[in-house]
Amino acid sequence: MSEEKRIPRHVAVIMDGNGRWATQRGLDRSEGHLRGVESVRRTIRAAVAGGVRYLTLYAFSTENWGRPAEEVAALLELFCRCVQNEAEALADQGVRVRIIGDRERFPEEVRDSLERIEACTAAGERLTLQLALNYSSRSELARAARELCRQALSGEIAPDAIDEQTVARALYTAECPDPDLILRTGGEQRLSNFLLWQGAYAELCFTPVLWPDFTEEEFARALDQYAARDRRFGLVKTPTPKRS
Ligand code: IPE
Ligand code: IPE
Ligand code: MG
């Protein structure tokens, strides 16, 4: 049997704890988001180095619009600046960026930058980076249901032909395999409306480390935890026969 370490093909990260990191230091919450950008850079580097092929980062949920207006404005400004500034460096690392979530709610300037970064990095082959922006799993599923109903009503598909693959193909993540590992920083042990369909069999890993403090070593630790997990997918493992 191969002794090689099992590497998750797709890692999805709930980047949590920016606000607490800032508050603990007497800083404005937006300072935590700003510092979080360095953790994003470190995580992308670590994913490429670790042989991960797909990385999904949860950056803004549909529920996050309910935060104070100044925080939302600071976040939008930061997304815009980052996608503009980082595009070239990401393309150089072989990273292809895809945005998942409903981008229609963003101002035109943000939507344009998102389109530009997708176009500029389209040739990347080492890592596909899915950025979840204005994302929620339930709204993604409702959107897929609407789309499939439209197709059924127009006669494009038969309702009885709708199976798990049809649904998966109607999600934002259609081109991406399901996450093998979902990692959350910041200590909370919940999914907060993230990849509920896709994560059906994902391994979950929670760390108390706040996102701005997240390092390449922490990422490597999560990969080690994943490698030690026994993934059974509902099956029974055939025991290795004992030698006499
Ligand atoms: C995650 O950090 C970033 C976003 C949700 C945009 P938080 O801002 O949720 O930080 P905490 O959880 O309040 O510390
Ligand atoms: C989840 O974090 C969303 C992102 C990391 C973008 P939240 O801080 O919004 O989640 P809750 O409120 O703790 O569930
Ligand atoms: Mg939070």
Side-chain angles (χ1 to χ4, degrees), residues 8 13 20 43 69 76 83 101 125 128 130 141 160 164 218-219:
V13 186
R20 278 164 285 165
T43 302
L76 292 189
V83 292
E125 284 186 346
T128 295
Q130 295 193 118
L141 284 161
D160 285 348
E164 291 183 15
E218 286 292 332
F219 188 82

Side-chain angles (χ1 to χ4, degrees), residues 1-17:
M1 213 170 68
S2 160
E3 290 297 314
E4 267 181 41
K5 195 177 123 186
R6 199 150 39 90
I7 297 166
R9 185 153 63 133
H10 180 182
V11 178
V13 186
I14 302 172
M15 309 183 288
D16 197 25

Side-chain angles (χ1 to χ4, degrees), residues 25-90:
R25 288 161 178 78
L27 301 170
D28 193 75
R29 288 176 58 87
S30 57
E31 290 295 323
H33 299 312
L34 191 63
R35 278 298 284 264
V37 175
E38 287 169 34
S39 302
V40 170
R41 291 197 193 100
R42 287 194 287 269
T43 302
I44 294 170
R45 276 201 303 271
V48 170
V52 171
R53 301 307 303 266
Y54 298 85
L55 176 69
T56 301
L57 300 178
Y58 199 10
F60 193 80
S61 74
T62 53
E63 288 82 10
N64 290 150
W65 291 105
R67 293 189 176 197
E70 319 81 72
E71 183 172 345
V72 173
L75 277 165
L76 292 189
E77 224 249 8
L78 186 63
F79 297 148
C80 217
R81 198 148 29 99
C82 286
V83 292
Q84 282 165 6
N85 295 346
E86 305 288 327
E88 220 172 298
L90 290 172

Side-chain angles (χ1 to χ4, degrees), residues 169-221:
R169 276 200 302 269
L171 301 177
Y172 291 120
T173 51
E175 290 163 40
C176 191
D178 286 341
D180 300 295
L181 172 65
I182 296 180
L183 165 68
R184 181 170 187 146
T185 63
E188 311 296 355
Q189 304 199 354
R190 56 177 171 249
L191 292 173
S192 303
N193 217 345
F194 186 50
L195 302 180
L196 302 182
W197 169 281
Q198 300 89 332
Y201 265 105
E203 294 299 322
L204 306 179
C205 178
F206 301 101
T207 165
V209 173
L210 302 175
W211 180 248
D213 291 329
F214 192 72
T215 57
E216 279 105 329
E217 290 72 30
E218 286 292 332
F219 188 82
R221 245 194 292 282

